[in-house]
Amino acid sequence: MFCGTRTRSFSSWLLILVLVVSLCDAGLYSQQPTATYSVKVKVVNMLATVRDKHGQIIRSLTKDDFTLEEDGRPQTIRYFTRETDMPLTLGLLVDTSRSQLRLLDEERTASHSFLDQMLRENKDNAFLIHFDSQVELLQDATGSRQKLEQALADVNMSREEQPVSGSPGSWPGGGGHRHGGGGGSSAAAGTLLYDAVFLASDELMKKEQGRKALIILSDGMDQGSKLSLETAIAAAQRADTMVYSILFADPQFYNQGPFGGWGGHRGGWGRFPQEDHPNGKKIMEKLATDTGGRFFEVGKKQSIEQIYAQIQEELRNQYSIGYTPDRPNPGSGYHKLHLAAKQKDMIVQTRDGYYWDR
């Protein structure tokens, strides 16, 4: 009897010991770090406007109505929405060189009405830059109509009319809000269009989220920019920013005689054959088409107010499209995109590529 009792007691203690060890092992195991793996997935986003053959915006399409290619490779659209409710950041870039001075009052009035109607309270922001021999940020991104109205009132030619030093300054950071032209250039001869687009894209738009668009009011005649047109366009593309370019030229200025323009330089174009000066229209068209925006020209057929109304309608009726490239690493550099509607008589307006930056 005694022996049997001891045997049963020993067996019971052995079972308890096994359970305790097992529980301890389980606890220790659960506390060990678990290996995790993360994969960075690149999502390419694009905004598109679709029109019929009559130029009317089409608002009723689905993702199945589109085909998409990257570098000639078919892609699958994974994200699609017809109503873009994302925040909007607008950048207004106004040319204030001598050739534009007679147009500034009209530009101020139309721009004030556009921003007042376009910006949604507590959701959208806008900033304002003017450029001639300087690129000056008059108002950083804000939703305040009062601040934007004051900035529009300040749109005018830069005060600096003497030769500019070689230092470009620190725009818009470092306590400065101006970016100067090349060394030895003067305010009279400067129109830093390319520099203005680059700075607006690289230093302002790049940090913003949501939809982004630059609106440029200019005759397209760049003079004195340190950067090239291609560099300016690349900056806008890297910042996922569309450019809406409005060609607004004063024909009286360019038709003046050899001494009628500013120092006979910008105003003296009338003395030279057409091919001797840059084609402002082609420059403005390229800024728009290469970034997925749109080109407009103020003239007898359409006023600046009518153009602003078209831009407003377009920005409120875009398709937001996103996809993940079929190649995990397409390679650094620029990749061509082709978005098309399956119905042949529809015209799709969007950017034609993106930069893959690792």
Side-chain angles (χ1 to χ4, degrees), residues 172-243:
H177 287 77
R178 292 178 182 270
H179 176 91
S185 65
S186 67
T191 309
L192 308 185
L193 170 61
Y194 306 157
D195 287 356
V197 173
F198 176 86
L199 291 165
S201 302
D202 190 66
E203 298 200 23
L204 292 174
M205 284 300 196
K206 200 170 186 178
K207 63 186 179 183
E208 298 292 337
Q209 301 296 319
R211 295 179 298 148
K212 297 175 277 189
L214 294 178
I215 298 174
I216 303 173
L217 288 164
S218 176
D219 58 14
M221 297 290 198
D222 182 279
Q223 280 196 40
S225 282
K226 288 189 171 183
L227 303 173
S228 67
L229 173 61
E230 290 71 22
T231 301
I233 290 173
Q237 291 169 335
R238 290 180 188 277
D240 295 332
T241 300
M242 300 174 294
V243 174

Side-chain angles (χ1 to χ4, degrees), residues 194 220-223 269 274-281 283:
Y194 306 157
M221 297 290 198
D222 182 279
Q223 280 196 40
W269 287 129
Q274 181 72 20
E275 62 270 18
D276 284 354
H277 64 81
N279 190 318
K281 182 175 182 178
I283 290 169

Side-chain angles (χ1 to χ4, degrees), residues 88-92 119 123-129 137-145 147-148 151 171-172 177 200 203-209 212:
L88 172 67
T89 302
L90 285 173
L92 185 59
L119 298 182
K123 177 166 281 191
D124 301 328
N125 291 314
F127 61 83
L128 180 60
I129 290 172
L137 178 64
L138 295 175
Q139 176 58 56
D140 206 343
T142 180
S144 169
R145 286 174 168 80
K147 290 181 179 179
L148 290 168
W171 186 92
H177 287 77
E203 298 200 23
L204 292 174
M205 284 300 196
K206 200 170 186 178
K207 63 186 179 183
E208 298 292 337
Q209 301 296 319
K212 297 175 277 189

Side-chain angles (χ1 to χ4, degrees), residues 188-190 223 253 258 261-269 271-272:
Q223 280 196 40
F253 181 85
W262 193 344
H265 193 52
R266 272 188 66 102
W269 287 129
R271 297 178 292 158
F272 303 106

Side-chain angles (χ1 to χ4, degrees), residues 111-130:
S111 298
H112 171 75
S113 299
F114 170 73
L115 292 175
D116 190 53
Q117 296 173 23
M118 188 70 222
L119 298 182
R120 296 166 296 178
E121 192 172 357
N122 299 323
K123 177 166 281 191
D124 301 328
N125 291 314
F127 61 83
L128 180 60
I129 290 172
H130 85 103

